[in-house]
Every structure is written in C-alpha cells, then in structure tokens.
Amino acid sequence: MIKTSNVAELEAISKNIRRHIVTMITAAKSGHPGGSLSAVEILVSLFFDRMKHDPANPSWPDRDRFILSKGHAAPVLYSVMAECGYTPVEELNNLRKLGCIYQGHPDVRFIPTLDASTGSLGQGLSLALGMGCGNRLDGRAGRIYCVLGDGEIQEGQIWEAAMFGAFHKVTNVVPIVDYNRIQLDGFVKDIMEVEPLEDKWRSFGYHVISVDGHDIAALQKAWDEAAATTTAPSVVIAHTIKGKGVSFMENNPKFHGTAPTRDEMEKALAELA
Amino acid sequence: MALSTTYELKPGMATREAFGRALAELAKSNSRIVVCDADLSKSTMTHFFAAEFPERFFSVGIAEANMVGIGAGLAAEGKIPFVSSFSVFVVNKGFEQLRTVVAYPNLNVKVVGTHSGISIGEDGPSQMSIEDLSLACSLPGFTVLSPADEKSMRACIALAVDTVGPFFVRAGRPKMPVIYDSEDGFKVGGSRQLLDGRDVTLMAHGLMVSESIRAAEALDAEGISARVVDMYSVKPLDREAIVRAAAETGAIVVSEEHLVDAGLGVRVAQVVSEEHPCPMAFVGLTDYAESGTPDELLDKYGMRASSVIAAAKRALARKK
C-alpha cells in the first residue's frame, strides 16, 4: 500500500478515488455521491498519510481507527479501503448488489476490517469515544478518527457524546465534521441551521480546528494540531463542497442521494481525467 | 397430597443489589470488566464497582443513548462493558443504539436494567419498565435473562461475563424471597424446575416465580398437582423444558411482571404451538400502572399467587 505525505501524490490518489465513487454509484443505480465526494481529501489524507494502520495486519492493536459515522458516504470509504488493499478493487462496481461486501452502508459482518458498522446517523462519535477510552485504559497509542456529517450533528446524541469527550478529556478521538452545507432535503441552513458551529463545539469544551477540507496540506496541519493538543479534545471542522470535483454535482442537493446516469458518469469522468 | 419440596421464601436481597455486589466481586479477578453509568449508580448499585475501580467506571451523565454507544466502543476494544440504568431508560432511550451499534455488529455489551416492572412502586409509570423484555428479545443475538433472587442473579451476571455476546439482564428494586441456596445450575437457555407436578405447569420469571410457588402450594391443597419452572432464560428459551411440560402436564400457565402480550408468555406459546399444543393461560400486565407501594400495586395489578391460581384453573378447564 502507498503511504505518502507528498501533496501532489495525495491529490492524484484523490482524483482516482473520485473516479471510483462516480463509477460505482452509477453501476449501483443508487447511493450518495455528493457526501462521498466532499469527504475524499479527508479520507485520503488519513488513510494514505496520517493514520497508522497496516492492511496486512488489520487487527494490529496499536493501529489508528476510523469510523465513518455518516455511513451513507460508504463509497468513499470503500474506494479508499480497496486502494489501501483491504478489499478488492474489482468488486467496487458491485456496490449494493446482493451478496457484495460493499453493502449500502458499512457493515462489519461483510468487511471485518472495518472498525464499525454505521448508517444510523448520530451514533459514531459515541462509539469512537468508547474505543478511545478502551485504548487509553490499555495504554495503546492508537487514535480514533470519526467523520461526521453536518446534517448528522443535528442528532442529539452527538452532543451527548461531545459532552462526554470533553468531560473525560478523550483526546485520542478526533471528530471531523464534513461541513458541505447540504443534507438530503436541501441546504443545512434551511433544514436546521447548525451555526454557529465553531462556537457550539468550543462551548462543549473542544479545541476547534477549522480547515479547507479539500486542501491536503491544510488537513495535514490540522492532524498535527489535533495531536499536539492535549488539554482538550480537538474537533476538525472541514469546510467542503458537496459533490466536489464534478461541476454539475457541486453544491447541488440533488446529488446528495441520487445516482448519476450513464451520460452523467461519462461527463463526470471526463472532468476527473 | 404433599409437595415433595417446600420453600420457605424467606425475605432476601433485591436483585439489583445482588447485581451490584456480584459485579464488584467479579471485577476483582477480571480486569476487562468496565461499567457505564447514567447518574443512577446508587440505585443500580454499580457504586460498589465504582468505589473499587474508579478508573474502569465511566460516568456518562443522564445520556442513555450515548452510554450504549460508549459501551459498544469499549466492547469493540475488548472490554466487557456493563451498561446499566433503570430498565425503562436504558432499553427505551437506548433502543436504537442497542439495535444498531450492539445487536447488528454483535458486540459484547452487557445491559442490566434495574427497577423493572411495577414493583418500583411510588415513582409511578414513567419509571416502570413493562416492555423491556419484549424489546430486548426482539434484538437478534441478544441473550435475555430475568432472575428471581440473589443467587440466581449472581449466576446470571457470571454467565454474562463468561459468555461472549450481547446480554440483557433484568433486575428489580424490591427485596426478593430466597429461592436458591446456590449459584450452581444456571445456564444460557436453561430453566429450573422448582416443584414437580402432573396436572399443570406454572412458568414464570422474576418476582412471579415465588408467587407461582405459593400458587402451587395452594393448588396442592385443592388436590391439583402443579409443576413450577423458573424460566430465567427468557431468550434463548429452554424449549425442551417447555415441550416436557406440555407433554407431561398438559396445561401451562405463564406469569410475569411484564406486558402480558409481549413477554415470556407469547414466547413460550410459540414453542407450545409448534411442538406440542396444549391449553395455556397467561398472567401479566395489560396497561401502565400508577403510584403506590409495591405491595399495593402487586395486589391491584394481579401480580399475585391468586392470579396464577385462577389462570391455572382456566387452563385446566380446557384440558380434555
């Protein structure tokens, strides 16, 4: 598996991941392209650079963990895990088909190397914090990264978990908000505004790191800053663009949960060439 | 005819206290045991554990959904988390979490719901868990236990520690009559025959076990021979004991401090109808109760031997 801190290389990987996402969701004829494309650099920067993990030794106790709490963005996670060597690349286009390991939402029963099954929004941060406490009790250095949707944080459990994380100073867990500003029914500001987002996390006791979620170098600095902050847990608010990389999907609520047509896929792949 | 065994049913310990004490004892030799609490440790009795193992005790505040998730994360890292609160709160407020982050990935989380049923008393229906067994049994992979006294609760907690997989163990607030003098003889999917009989079988879990014993003694005085079986393992069921009861006594009564149309009774009826149909009758709750002393409530809502006796006669009247 490739591990690199070179920004250009990580950007090239990101483009390839985007091609997988568009292709596999088109083949599946259903799925969530917008929120998968917005999280590409976040996951690429973690899996191919920052996180300590080893596809050849997936249950390595000291590894870093990853939880995609916004489980509907499964295509980005599947593409990244496949390119890391955890799962077969050639199966990606069987996404959502009966018997395929690439289920509609991440499922540990089908992919045991996943750190969590997700899909019901609001639950991943609690799970991550439980893992963080377990790691801390056993003196393991592994960190847990947990990607949340901006719509997802409308769920009350996220804030129960945030209180817990700050109160128990669970600094080995890093929540990341994929702040693409669109949810299923439209723009977050029109469905249930989450602003002032930084102030919310700060008032819950978090160290807030705001970053352009498509800027690899900025993400690298964010992971550094989170790791260096030990007095309080850190949250990374990643400002992203829903549908990033495909012009007609960008900032378009339609592509939260609609698969591209064949024609749209061809257009998208041309843009991602 | 005289019963082959008699039970003194002396006052004993509340099952919640038996849970709390057993947990603190087991944790001495098992460092994987951790506890999550939602501001009720003095009531659920996990404070015994907290006092001895503060570093393994996680206060989550009044946030049951988060508590279940934290427990699941700890289980994913190899811990044996006991997630405990009043049954009505942990099961109902945490249900979607029990489903999606515990049952679905089959994580080794142990849920202990205390203050179950109406015997919590004066606090009233918002605190009374009468649906918990139904909800817990609906979750694939869950083992569901409802012990009747101190020793059987201790045995159930030991089973939960030693058996990999999600558990729900039901505990109550009031002191319970002593039925067992030993923790031996309990297993997942087991049952305990407490009295033998040939005319009817009285099955129960929790506090209705002692009431069923009293009912059997009263029926015996009327010349009706009743078998009594403690069905502490609500899921999985001891199917063999159920089939044997149907075949050998030809009538079954199931009594429980739980909604009558959603608990042990309907689960036993499913086995009986599949394996060996026979007349059955049920004792349980039909609606939300009210405030009162536990004894007043158990009287008013029929959680007594008299209800079991009446049910036994209903079932016997339908026996050919």
Side-chain angles (χ1 to χ4, degrees), chain A residues 1 30 35 39 77 97 104 108 136 152 161:
Chain A
M1 156 197 173
S30 69
L77 178 57
K97 297 204 170 80
V108 294
R136 189 162 71 183
E152 177 181 18

mmCIF file with all atom_site columns, all heavy atoms in Angstrom, chain A residues 1 30 35 39 77 97 104 108 136 152 161:
data_model
loop_
_atom_site.group_PDB
_atom_site.id
_atom_site.type_symbol
_atom_site.label_atom_id
_atom_site.label_alt_id
_atom_site.label_comp_id
_atom_site.label_asym_id
_atom_site.label_entity_id
_atom_site.label_seq_id
_atom_site.pdbx_PDB_ins_code
_atom_site.Cartn_x
_atom_site.Cartn_y
_atom_site.Cartn_z
_atom_site.occupancy
_atom_site.B_iso_or_equiv
_atom_site.pdbx_formal_charge
_atom_site.auth_seq_id
_atom_site.auth_comp_id
_atom_site.auth_asym_id
_atom_site.auth_atom_id
_atom_site.pdbx_PDB_model_num
ATOM 1  N N   . MET A 1 1   ? 0.842   -1.200 0.000   1.00 0.00 ? 1   MET A N   1
ATOM 2  C CA  . MET A 1 1   ? 0.000   0.000  0.000   1.00 0.00 ? 1   MET A CA  1
ATOM 3  C C   . MET A 1 1   ? 0.877   1.250  0.000   1.00 0.00 ? 1   MET A C   1
ATOM 4  O O   . MET A 1 1   ? 1.911   1.295  0.654   1.00 0.00 ? 1   MET A O   1
ATOM 5  C CB  . MET A 1 1   ? -0.871  -0.079 1.256   1.00 0.00 ? 1   MET A CB  1
ATOM 6  C CG  . MET A 1 1   ? -1.354  1.231  1.737   1.00 0.00 ? 1   MET A CG  1
ATOM 7  S SD  . MET A 1 1   ? -1.938  1.222  3.428   1.00 0.00 ? 1   MET A SD  1
ATOM 8  C CE  . MET A 1 1   ? -2.177  2.971  3.541   1.00 0.00 ? 1   MET A CE  1
ATOM 9  N N   . SER A 1 30  ? -27.962 3.569  -7.360  1.00 0.00 ? 30  SER A N   1
ATOM 10 C CA  . SER A 1 30  ? -28.431 4.307  -6.178  1.00 0.00 ? 30  SER A CA  1
ATOM 11 C C   . SER A 1 30  ? -27.227 4.540  -5.283  1.00 0.00 ? 30  SER A C   1
ATOM 12 O O   . SER A 1 30  ? -26.201 3.885  -5.427  1.00 0.00 ? 30  SER A O   1
ATOM 13 C CB  . SER A 1 30  ? -29.511 3.527  -5.424  1.00 0.00 ? 30  SER A CB  1
ATOM 14 O OG  . SER A 1 30  ? -28.964 2.378  -4.799  1.00 0.00 ? 30  SER A OG  1
ATOM 15 N N   . GLY A 1 35  ? -21.999 13.539 -0.741  1.00 0.00 ? 35  GLY A N   1
ATOM 16 C CA  . GLY A 1 35  ? -21.291 13.484 0.536   1.00 0.00 ? 35  GLY A CA  1
ATOM 17 C C   . GLY A 1 35  ? -20.120 12.521 0.527   1.00 0.00 ? 35  GLY A C   1
ATOM 18 O O   . GLY A 1 35  ? -19.319 12.493 1.466   1.00 0.00 ? 35  GLY A O   1
ATOM 19 N N   . ALA A 1 39  ? -15.900 14.253 1.027   1.00 0.00 ? 39  ALA A N   1
ATOM 20 C CA  . ALA A 1 39  ? -15.009 13.739 2.081   1.00 0.00 ? 39  ALA A CA  1
ATOM 21 C C   . ALA A 1 39  ? -13.738 13.091 1.541   1.00 0.00 ? 39  ALA A C   1
ATOM 22 O O   . ALA A 1 39  ? -12.965 12.518 2.299   1.00 0.00 ? 39  ALA A O   1
ATOM 23 C CB  . ALA A 1 39  ? -15.773 12.733 2.952   1.00 0.00 ? 39  ALA A CB  1
ATOM 24 N N   . LEU A 1 77  ? -15.344 5.498  1.533   1.00 0.00 ? 77  LEU A N   1
ATOM 25 C CA  . LEU A 1 77  ? -14.605 4.606  2.425   1.00 0.00 ? 77  LEU A CA  1
ATOM 26 C C   . LEU A 1 77  ? -14.222 3.312  1.704   1.00 0.00 ? 77  LEU A C   1
ATOM 27 O O   . LEU A 1 77  ? -13.083 2.830  1.815   1.00 0.00 ? 77  LEU A O   1
ATOM 28 C CB  . LEU A 1 77  ? -15.454 4.304  3.669   1.00 0.00 ? 77  LEU A CB  1
ATOM 29 C CG  . LEU A 1 77  ? -14.853 3.343  4.696   1.00 0.00 ? 77  LEU A CG  1
ATOM 30 C CD1 . LEU A 1 77  ? -13.510 3.834  5.208   1.00 0.00 ? 77  LEU A CD1 1
ATOM 31 C CD2 . LEU A 1 77  ? -15.818 3.150  5.881   1.00 0.00 ? 77  LEU A CD2 1
ATOM 32 N N   . LYS A 1 97  ? -25.093 -4.579 -4.436  1.00 0.00 ? 97  LYS A N   1
ATOM 33 C CA  . LYS A 1 97  ? -25.713 -5.760 -5.061  1.00 0.00 ? 97  LYS A CA  1
ATOM 34 C C   . LYS A 1 97  ? -25.737 -6.907 -4.054  1.00 0.00 ? 97  LYS A C   1
ATOM 35 O O   . LYS A 1 97  ? -24.881 -7.003 -3.169  1.00 0.00 ? 97  LYS A O   1
ATOM 36 C CB  . LYS A 1 97  ? -24.945 -6.150 -6.320  1.00 0.00 ? 97  LYS A CB  1
ATOM 37 C CG  . LYS A 1 97  ? -24.993 -5.049 -7.395  1.00 0.00 ? 97  LYS A CG  1
ATOM 38 C CD  . LYS A 1 97  ? -24.779 -5.594 -8.796  1.00 0.00 ? 97  LYS A CD  1
ATOM 39 C CE  . LYS A 1 97  ? -25.075 -4.514 -9.838  1.00 0.00 ? 97  LYS A CE  1
ATOM 40 N NZ  . LYS A 1 97  ? -23.952 -3.571 -10.005 1.00 0.00 ? 97  LYS A NZ  1
ATOM 41 N N   . GLY A 1 104 ? -24.848 -1.263 1.279   1.00 0.00 ? 104 GLY A N   1
ATOM 42 C CA  . GLY A 1 104 ? -25.325 0.114  1.149   1.00 0.00 ? 104 GLY A CA  1
ATOM 43 C C   . GLY A 1 104 ? -24.713 1.063  2.177   1.00 0.00 ? 104 GLY A C   1
ATOM 44 O O   . GLY A 1 104 ? -24.441 2.225  1.882   1.00 0.00 ? 104 GLY A O   1
ATOM 45 N N   . VAL A 1 108 ? -19.666 -4.426 9.314   1.00 0.00 ? 108 VAL A N   1
ATOM 46 C CA  . VAL A 1 108 ? -18.517 -5.252 9.733   1.00 0.00 ? 108 VAL A CA  1
ATOM 47 C C   . VAL A 1 108 ? -18.749 -6.739 9.466   1.00 0.00 ? 108 VAL A C   1
ATOM 48 O O   . VAL A 1 108 ? -17.795 -7.505 9.415   1.00 0.00 ? 108 VAL A O   1
ATOM 49 C CB  . VAL A 1 108 ? -18.165 -5.070 11.225  1.00 0.00 ? 108 VAL A CB  1
ATOM 50 C CG1 . VAL A 1 108 ? -17.674 -3.672 11.506  1.00 0.00 ? 108 VAL A CG1 1
ATOM 51 C CG2 . VAL A 1 108 ? -19.340 -5.410 12.126  1.00 0.00 ? 108 VAL A CG2 1
ATOM 52 N N   . ARG A 1 136 ? -7.157  3.961  25.880  1.00 0.00 ? 136 ARG A N   1
ATOM 53 C CA  . ARG A 1 136 ? -6.476  4.672  26.968  1.00 0.00 ? 136 ARG A CA  1
ATOM 54 C C   . ARG A 1 136 ? -6.284  3.766  28.186  1.00 0.00 ? 136 ARG A C   1
ATOM 55 O O   . ARG A 1 136 ? -5.209  3.760  28.791  1.00 0.00 ? 136 ARG A O   1
ATOM 56 C CB  . ARG A 1 136 ? -7.280  5.923  27.333  1.00 0.00 ? 136 ARG A CB  1
ATOM 57 C CG  . ARG A 1 136 ? -6.569  6.844  28.286  1.00 0.00 ? 136 ARG A CG  1
ATOM 58 C CD  . ARG A 1 136 ? -7.174  8.227  28.275  1.00 0.00 ? 136 ARG A CD  1
ATOM 59 N NE  . ARG A 1 136 ? -8.486  8.247  28.892  1.00 0.00 ? 136 ARG A NE  1
ATOM 60 C CZ  . ARG A 1 136 ? -9.257  9.340  28.965  1.00 0.00 ? 136 ARG A CZ  1
ATOM 61 N NH1 . ARG A 1 136 ? -8.849  10.490 28.430  1.00 0.00 ? 136 ARG A NH1 1
ATOM 62 N NH2 . ARG A 1 136 ? -10.429 9.295  29.546  1.00 0.00 ? 136 ARG A NH2 1
ATOM 63 N N   . GLU A 1 152 ? -25.808 15.412 10.095  1.00 0.00 ? 152 GLU A N   1
ATOM 64 C CA  . GLU A 1 152 ? -25.810 14.400 11.162  1.00 0.00 ? 152 GLU A CA  1
ATOM 65 C C   . GLU A 1 152 ? -25.746 15.006 12.564  1.00 0.00 ? 152 GLU A C   1
ATOM 66 O O   . GLU A 1 152 ? -26.332 14.469 13.516  1.00 0.00 ? 152 GLU A O   1
ATOM 67 C CB  . GLU A 1 152 ? -24.621 13.440 10.977  1.00 0.00 ? 152 GLU A CB  1
ATOM 68 C CG  . GLU A 1 152 ? -24.521 12.418 12.094  1.00 0.00 ? 152 GLU A CG  1
ATOM 69 C CD  . GLU A 1 152 ? -23.358 11.460 11.977  1.00 0.00 ? 152 GLU A CD  1
ATOM 70 O OE1 . GLU A 1 152 ? -22.401 11.740 11.227  1.00 0.00 ? 152 GLU A OE1 1
ATOM 71 O OE2 . GLU A 1 152 ? -23.413 10.408 12.636  1.00 0.00 ? 152 GLU A OE2 1
ATOM 72 N N   . ALA A 1 161 ? -22.391 12.927 23.266  1.00 0.00 ? 161 ALA A N   1
ATOM 73 C CA  . ALA A 1 161 ? -21.042 12.387 23.098  1.00 0.00 ? 161 ALA A CA  1
ATOM 74 C C   . ALA A 1 161 ? -19.992 13.492 23.243  1.00 0.00 ? 161 ALA A C   1
ATOM 75 O O   . ALA A 1 161 ? -18.942 13.290 23.860  1.00 0.00 ? 161 ALA A O   1
ATOM 76 C CB  . ALA A 1 161 ? -20.923 11.710 21.731  1.00 0.00 ? 161 ALA A CB  1
#
